[in-house]
Amino acid sequence: MIDIKEIRENPQKFEKAAKDKHFNVKIDDLLKLDKALKRLKQQLQVVATNKNQIGKEIPKLSGDEKQAKLELLASWKMDEAAWNKDVKRDQSKFDKLMLQVPQPADEDVPLGKDDTENVEIRKEGKIRKFDFEPKDHVQLGLALDIIDIERGVKLAGTRNYFLKGDGALLHQAVLQFAMDYMVQKGYTPLSVPLLARDDVMQGTGWFPGAEDQTYRMERDDLSLVGTSEVPLTAYHMGEILKGEELPLKYVALSSCFRREAGAAGKDTYGLYRIHQFDKVEQVVICENSIEQSRKFHEEILANAEAVMQALELPYRVANVCTGDLGRGQAKKFDIEAWMPSRNNYCETHSASKFYDFQARRLNLRYREKKSRIKNRESRINFCHTLNNTVIASPRILIPILELYQNADGSITIPKVLRKYICPVRDRITKK
């Protein structure tokens, strides 16, 4: 959520943000409602002052004079009830409009309509040249009996699957390797709830906007999370942290659920776009500082790149354009792995910077460090938040299986994953 003071001071900035990100938000309507609410609240303050004054006078009066004051007090109370009703109505409208206002993108974010206009920053690693006809991940998985999409669909419908035998072991290995790496980097591991209340979904910026992508538990007013970013970022919601505690760095391995609404007929083949997957997610909660946010944005990107480099997978990094940014994101980097069967770099990670957008919604604050206070009281500020995928599987299995395949149909297991495979070995072969 944006500070209304910023919108009042520079409405053009947020009109531009909405236009650049392709959100239909009427800033003029918001500001008109803001003024109307301000007037109503001022009237209520006048009523409260008058009621208080009359309340003090009445005990000292008698007869007609007292009766007149009582009638005046009753009139004020009627006005107060009517204005409170108006405030409640307008406040609800105002709050809904405020939730629609997007975070302006950083100045170095490229303008663009969608992901086709993201700007490549750099490529890392070499794309393998095959001296035989390579298979795609589904062909490899079926031949090795490690992927079963047919039975997944039979049990749960389209975009579902089974990983079997060494496929399940490889899936668990890549996730555990990523978790171990992040813990060694000093991130605190959490095991998180996979269900979230509406205020948590709204606080992290998923609502409004991602309702169609979310699996909803109507009976309980809960939603299955699409990423552990939601519980990790909301972990301290409603709290005032100590400045000395920051930054807080968390990592979680969790299942994730996406309805993929609107994706009918898109990426239906294989394991690329599916309803359920597992992901290692990193979240940073830091001070309200543009410099700190920039620093940790680079850090979480570097963490994900280090995992990709350890897996020896070729990838590229892209600066995501305005039209592909979410409502709360000020800047986002995508990592895209090379996938031979798709003959392209395809998105596997997203590193997002939010400034205080999520923290305002979550009422997530901190008290300044004592060392920064000089002859004044310590301030309470909203935190900044950031998040990034460390690894997500089984999508990452697409480049692993396809790039590590051998002419005989076997798969070479990446070196860093071998100790996680039982029994320890260097290849997946047909049983």
Side-chain angles (χ1 to χ4, degrees):
M1 184 176 288
I2 306 299
D3 187 347
I4 185 60
K5 292 178 183 177
E6 289 189 42
I7 301 174
R8 289 171 187 156
E9 291 169 2
N10 192 354
Q12 294 79 15
K13 176 181 178 181
F14 296 93
E15 288 170 358
K16 183 178 185 302
K19 181 180 178 183
D20 290 347
K21 288 188 170 185
H22 306 291
F23 287 109
N24 184 21
V25 183
K26 296 180 179 178
I27 301 298
D28 284 346
D29 289 353
L30 174 66
L31 292 176
K32 287 175 184 176
L33 201 52
D34 178 47
K35 288 180 180 178
L37 263 175
K38 198 171 182 180
R39 285 194 300 269
L40 284 169
K41 289 176 180 179
Q42 287 170 345
Q43 289 169 330
L44 282 172
Q45 185 59 49
V46 170
V47 169
T49 301
N50 290 337
K51 280 174 57 187
N52 186 51
Q53 181 62 36
I54 292 172
K56 291 177 181 178
E57 294 174 0
I58 286 175
K60 302 174 185 179
L61 302 174
S62 60
D64 291 344
E65 195 174 9
K66 183 175 184 178
Q67 184 60 35
K69 290 291 184 180
L70 285 169
E71 290 174 1
L72 182 58
L73 181 60
S75 174
W76 280 119
K77 287 181 177 179
M78 288 178 64
D79 288 342
E80 183 180 46
W83 285 332
N84 268 320
K85 187 177 179 180
D86 290 344
V87 166
K88 186 177 180 181
R89 178 201 65 212
D90 287 356
Q91 188 69 54
S92 177
K93 292 179 182 178
F94 176 81
D95 292 343
K96 287 178 181 177
L97 278 175
M98 282 294 290
L99 289 173
Q100 298 288 341
V101 180
Q103 169 92 266
D106 281 359
E107 290 184 2
D108 59 349
V109 171
L111 285 173
K113 64 179 185 299
D114 55 33
D115 60 356
T116 62
E117 297 188 24
N118 294 343
V119 176
E120 181 183 300
I121 297 173
R122 63 179 179 277
K123 287 188 176 82
E124 300 288 345
K126 292 182 179 179
I127 295 174
R128 180 182 175 185
K129 303 295 183 184
F130 293 93
D131 55 7
F132 59 91
E133 186 65 31
K135 298 176 181 177
D136 65 44
H137 67 285
V138 175
Q139 293 170 324
L140 290 162
L142 291 175
L144 293 168
D145 196 25
I146 61 175
I147 297 173
D148 191 335
I149 294 173
E150 183 179 349
R151 288 187 175 90
V153 172
K154 181 174 69 174
L155 267 66
T158 57
R159 301 186 189 274
N160 285 287
Y161 59 92
F162 278 93
L163 297 176
K164 182 180 178 183
D166 286 339
L169 291 177
L170 188 64
H171 168 76
Q172 295 295 335
V174 74
L175 295 167
Q176 192 57 55
F177 166 69
M179 276 296 292
D180 288 353
Y181 177 83
M182 294 303 296
V183 172
Q184 290 168 10
K185 293 289 288 185
Y187 283 66
T188 301
L190 273 70
S191 179
V192 300
L194 300 183
L195 290 165
R197 299 197 321 260
D198 287 353
D199 58 343
V200 175
M201 297 296 285
Q202 181 175 290
T204 49
W206 282 73
F207 292 172
E211 289 88 346
D212 286 348
Q213 300 297 340
T214 303
Y215 283 104
R216 181 79 175 151
M217 309 290 110
E218 284 85 359
R219 280 178 55 184
D220 304 296
D221 287 333
L222 295 169
S223 297
L224 283 168
V225 298
T227 166
S228 59
E229 167 206 337
V230 174
L232 288 176
T233 308
Y235 183 54
H236 293 286
M237 68 181 292
E239 297 180 22
I240 299 176
L241 305 170
K242 295 178 182 177
E244 289 77 9
E245 295 179 84
L246 302 179
L248 293 171
K249 301 180 180 182
Y250 294 126
V251 62
L253 164 57
S254 78
S255 293
C256 308
F257 304 88
R258 307 274 175 94
R259 290 187 65 243
E260 295 295 347
K266 182 181 180 183
D267 298 321
T268 56
Y269 184 76
L271 301 175
Y272 188 78
R273 193 178 297 277
I274 48 185
H275 291 309
Q276 179 182 336
F277 56 96
D278 293 301
K279 180 152 70 86
V280 178
E281 182 79 6
Q282 53 185 319
V283 162
V284 175
I285 301 169
C286 67
E287 296 178 39
N288 193 307
S289 160
I290 291 174
E291 292 74 21
Q292 288 284 298
S293 275
R294 185 182 298 115
K295 168 188 167 184
F296 289 117
H297 201 195
E298 295 291 341
E299 178 180 306
I300 61 177
L301 175 64
N303 289 338
E305 287 195 72
V307 170
M308 291 292 281
Q309 290 165 10
L311 292 169
E312 299 182 75
L313 295 175
Y315 66 90
R316 71 177 178 183
V317 179
N319 190 358
V320 173
C321 75
T322 54
D324 196 29
L325 286 180
R327 197 184 308 273
Q329 295 162 337
K331 187 175 182 179
K332 181 167 71 172
F333 296 118
D334 274 359
I335 294 177
E336 301 171 346
W338 177 258
M339 300 185 185
S341 62
R342 298 170 69 88
N343 195 35
N344 205 351
Y345 290 97
C346 301
E347 185 258 314
T348 52
H349 303 66
S350 291
S352 302
K353 176 173 63 175
F354 290 86
Y355 295 135
D356 63 1
F357 183 89
Q358 292 178 318
R360 283 184 177 277
R361 291 175 172 230
L362 294 167
N363 197 25
L364 172 55
R365 297 170 291 168
Y366 71 98
R367 192 179 296 277
E368 283 183 319
K369 293 179 182 178
K370 292 179 181 178
S371 60
R372 294 194 176 181
I373 303 167
K374 294 181 180 179
N375 303 319
R376 63 171 175 80
E377 292 184 5
S378 62
R379 283 197 295 259
I380 294 176
N381 296 321
F382 286 102
C383 301
H384 280 190
T385 61
L386 308 96
N387 64 67
N388 186 18
T389 313
V390 184
I391 209 75
S393 185
R395 182 177 287 192
I396 199 65
L397 298 187
I398 298 174
I400 290 176
L401 294 175
E402 293 180 356
L403 289 167
Y404 277 91
Q405 65 179 293
N406 301 303
D408 63 0
S410 65
I411 307 292
T412 299
I413 299 170
K415 292 177 184 178
V416 294
L417 301 184
R418 291 173 189 173
K419 67 179 180 179
Y420 298 98
I421 304 290
C422 183
V424 175
R425 57 197 187 281
D426 63 3
R427 287 196 179 198
I428 295 173
T429 58
K430 191 172 183 178
K431 302 298 183 186

